[in-house]
Amino acid sequence: MPTVVLMDVSLSMTRPVQLDGTEEFQRKNLAVHGLTMLFEHMATNYRLEFTALVAFSSLWELMVPFTRDYNTLQEALNNLEDYDKTCLEPALQGVSNIVQQEWGSTCPCQVVLVTDGSLGIGRGSLRHSLSTIKHRSEDKKFPLPFPFPAKLYIMCIANAEELQNSDTLDNLEQLLSLNGGEGQIFTVEGPLCLKNVQSLFGKLIDQAYTPFHAVLRCGNLSSDVQVFPRPEPVIMDEEVDPAPRTILTDLEIVGFIEIGDISSPPVLSRHLVLPIAVNKDVDEMGTGTTDETEEENSANQMAGKSPNFCVLLHGSLKVEGMVALVQLGPEWYGMLYSQADSKKKSNLMMSLFEPGPEPLPWLGKVSQLGPTSDAKENPYGEDDSKSPFPLQPKSKRSYAQNVTVWIKPSGLQTDVQKILRNARKLPEKTQTFYKELNRLRKAALAFGFWDLLKGVADLLERECTLLPDTAHPDAAFQLSHAAQQLKLASTGDSQYAAFDHNITPMLTDFSGSGSSDRDRM
């Protein structure tokens, strides 16, 4: 998950802050101190993540494009110059352009906005931008929400009391709401000083940049791994009392399956799985870094000589074209697989399925899957020419049936007219008449549309009175019988309104084509 640091370099950031017993600092100095702390943390724990640095005032400038070299980021941070007034909107638009050019619109990103809380004055200020949102044309839309998944973290080099004297917090909260509520506003607790700014950025690190360490197990084999980005809690809305679900730090591989059988499953999120302290092997997986010192290189060579299950797993999945099903928690599964970044580099990835015992319907319940050796015969065939998947459901799925849906009045009118056309051709169309009648009856009962049943019954009785003298006698009996059954169903009485019940033709003593139709039913 790449990060864009958006640094305010306007004149208000040069306001002095008097620290006890020390020289005078600027708010900009405190911001640089906090970002230095963040970069040092990421260099140690998030070396695989890409970070960019953007400076802004009335204009914005990309100081450092996306990189893993935190020395370059730190150097650019120390050499920032001071400019004029604060204009946040063009800077946010710049961030949007930079991320889309580098990562597209599907890669999630974190934006860290560092400012003193001064929103600018007059035209171009955040207040002015927010007040004009509803009166803009399509080509001048406000850059939030970002066109890619993003979390916006606003680091205010000011305490809450200072911000409450103006409408700054309200405007910043509106900024978060425009981004879909994804992110958080951080303010300094207590007076402005180095210690409190460290605490401020410490909260950001705890919130967004804490590494996720886990143990990946498969039978007697195990490996310490780190997952990027950190998996977030999942809340299932359909639960009566939804509670956040978090993945376990013990990840158990429960089996392996061919890529063709898993297909392209729906997933909640994707994560990079990295073996800890085996950087030499990691480089072979395409996830290592190249900017190593001599001491680091020597240490990596020593670590690379140690066997590591995670590296073995990645190579095996890549060669065999399979994925590993991994248990993330109670009735929650995911999959591990090899994904290539280029012809030479590939990563071990983990995708999280939706919680539940049957996340992929075509595989059935994951708990009921087993090794092919347990089957009486190889379900894949002797030459891998077949597959046991997808599993055929025992009951016919609703989407495989001819379901009646009335979205527009014309659809309902068409179904009623179809019944009336068959009614006028009784007894030749007896079978088709009752088939359409029962289809409408079931749909009306499912929707609780009792008045429809009574209305169609009245129409059938009217058709009965309009029958010509030359009509077959059986037609009148069938229409009266059908109308009576619909009226009984319209009462809602369980005896007559059972959903699975079908109206059957009335048995008569008349001979002819009508009776032959009934015999066939």
Side-chain angles (χ1 to χ4, degrees):
M1 186 182 292
T3 296
V4 179
V5 175
L6 190 55
M7 177 69 175
D8 186 352
V9 290
S10 61
L11 288 175
S12 61
M13 288 288 286
T14 64
R15 286 182 291 167
V17 176
Q18 184 64 47
L19 302 181
D20 294 338
T22 62
E23 60 180 300
E24 190 177 83
F25 274 77
Q26 297 177 353
R27 293 178 188 242
K28 175 184 171 183
N29 301 133
L30 295 178
V32 169
H33 178 76
L35 285 175
T36 298
M37 174 181 168
L38 175 63
F39 288 161
E40 289 175 351
H41 173 82
M42 296 178 71
T44 304
N45 300 282
Y46 274 72
R47 293 183 62 189
L48 300 180
E49 298 289 6
F50 288 89
T51 305
L53 177 63
V54 177
F56 77 97
S57 57
S58 59
L59 302 175
W60 64 273
E61 180 182 358
L62 178 60
M63 305 301 296
V64 181
F66 284 104
T67 181
R68 290 172 172 168
D69 186 354
Y70 288 96
N71 291 329
T72 302
L73 288 164
Q74 186 61 52
E75 183 179 350
L77 189 64
N78 293 332
N79 295 326
L80 288 176
E81 297 181 7
D82 303 322
Y83 292 92
D84 50 6
K85 66 176 184 176
T86 304
C87 292
L88 186 54
E89 182 178 344
L92 293 173
Q93 185 62 58
V95 169
S96 179
N97 296 338
I98 292 168
V99 173
Q100 288 186 90
Q101 289 173 6
E102 185 76 21
W103 304 101
S105 57
T106 57
C107 179
C109 184
Q110 298 190 125
V111 180
V112 179
L113 169 61
V114 183
T115 182
D116 61 339
S118 177
L119 306 180
I121 300 174
R123 191 175 184 85
S125 67
L126 183 59
R127 294 185 187 89
H128 179 266
S129 296
L130 295 177
S131 65
T132 60
I133 284 181
K134 297 181 180 179
H135 309 290
R136 300 184 180 210
S137 58
E138 190 66 24
D139 59 333
K140 295 182 180 179
K141 289 179 64 177
F142 193 75
L144 294 183
F146 289 115
F148 47 85
K151 290 193 174 183
L152 177 60
Y153 296 104
I154 303 175
M155 313 301 294
C156 292
I157 310 300
N159 52 44
E161 292 78 9
E162 181 182 349
L163 297 176
Q164 286 171 354
N165 294 330
S166 62
D167 59 351
T168 298
L169 278 178
D170 293 337
N171 285 283
L172 294 179
E173 287 173 357
Q174 188 176 350
L175 207 61
L176 282 186
S177 65
L178 288 173
N179 195 46
E182 294 290 334
Q184 191 172 338
I185 300 172
F186 295 90
T187 59
V188 176
E189 293 184 1
L192 288 178
C193 62
L194 291 175
K195 181 180 179 181
N196 289 341
V197 169
Q198 286 178 343
S199 176
L200 173 73
F201 279 84
K203 292 178 183 177
L204 172 65
I205 290 171
D206 292 341
Q207 177 76 16
Y209 295 98
T210 302
F212 183 85
H213 295 277
V215 179
L216 182 63
R217 303 183 186 278
C218 181
N220 294 324
L221 299 174
S222 65
S223 174
D224 292 331
V225 296
Q226 203 166 348
V227 180
F228 297 92
R230 185 183 183 87
E232 296 191 3
V234 175
I235 297 179
M236 302 303 293
D237 294 334
E238 64 268 17
E239 294 181 355
V240 178
D241 188 16
R245 291 196 184 196
T246 56
I247 75 171
L248 301 176
T249 53
D250 247 5
L251 305 177
E252 184 77 26
I253 293 177
V254 296
F256 301 88
I257 193 167
E258 292 189 2
I259 289 179
D261 290 333
I262 205 89
S263 187
S264 298
V267 297
L268 294 174
S269 57
R270 296 169 60 250
H271 305 267
L272 177 67
V273 180
L274 174 70
I276 296 176
V278 191
N279 293 330
K280 181 175 183 294
D281 293 303
V282 172
D283 286 338
E284 295 173 0
M285 294 166 58
T287 56
T289 56
T290 56
D291 52 332
E292 296 175 341
T293 63
E294 291 184 3
E295 292 181 359
E296 288 174 329
N297 189 38
S298 176
N300 289 339
Q301 288 179 355
M302 292 295 293
K305 296 178 181 179
S306 303
N308 189 282
F309 165 63
C310 192
V311 178
L312 171 66
L313 174 67
H314 171 260
S316 303
L317 295 177
K318 184 178 179 180
V319 172
E320 297 295 331
M322 302 187 78
V323 302
L325 294 178
V326 58
Q327 185 156 15
L328 310 172
E331 291 194 338
W332 192 8
Y333 301 91
M335 66 177 183
L336 294 165
Y337 56 97
S338 173
Q339 183 187 51
D341 282 345
S342 64
K343 292 182 179 179
K344 294 184 178 180
K345 295 182 179 181
S346 60
N347 306 317
L348 182 62
M349 303 294 295
M350 179 172 69
S351 291
L352 276 56
F353 301 149
E354 289 191 359
E358 198 173 350
L360 310 180
W362 60 90
L363 294 184
K365 291 185 176 180
V366 176
S367 60
Q368 294 181 358
L369 295 175
T372 55
S373 58
D374 287 355
K376 294 182 180 178
E377 60 180 28
N378 188 352
Y380 288 92
E382 296 300 328
D383 56 353
D384 295 339
S385 58
K386 64 177 184 177
S387 170
F389 305 105
L391 295 179
Q392 297 301 318
K394 296 180 180 179
S395 58
K396 198 174 183 182
R397 300 294 185 186
S398 61
Y399 50 74
Q401 299 176 355
N402 187 16
V403 179
T404 303
V405 179
W406 296 313
I407 299 175
K408 298 180 180 179
S410 57
L412 176 58
Q413 184 179 2
T414 300
D415 285 347
V416 173
Q417 287 176 340
K418 194 182 296 184
I419 292 173
L420 294 180
R421 282 198 304 271
N422 288 305
R424 291 164 189 161
K425 296 179 181 179
L426 290 173
E428 288 81 5
K429 294 290 186 179
T430 299
Q431 185 175 1
T432 308
F433 169 75
Y434 278 100
K435 176 183 176 183
E436 295 298 332
L437 189 72
N438 282 312
R439 188 167 73 88
L440 180 134
R441 175 185 178 277
K442 282 192 174 185
L445 290 174
F447 300 145
F449 201 171
W450 316 114
D451 291 341
L452 174 62
L453 298 175
K454 189 175 184 305
V456 175
D458 293 339
L459 287 175
L460 294 180
E461 287 182 343
R462 180 175 177 274
E463 287 295 323
C464 187
T465 61
L466 297 176
L467 287 172
D469 295 337
T470 56
H472 194 287
D474 196 33
F477 283 102
Q478 298 298 344
L479 289 174
S480 298
H481 169 65
Q484 182 187 13
Q485 291 298 313
L486 289 180
K487 284 186 176 181
L488 290 173
S490 69
T491 62
D493 190 334
S494 59
Q495 182 179 354
Y496 305 105
F499 181 79
D500 294 331
H501 173 71
N502 283 324
I503 301 174
T504 56
M506 182 180 184
L507 298 177
T508 64
D509 294 332
F510 297 104
S511 59
S513 59
S515 46
S516 64
D517 280 338
R518 291 192 300 275
D519 292 340
R520 287 196 296 272
M521 294 179 66

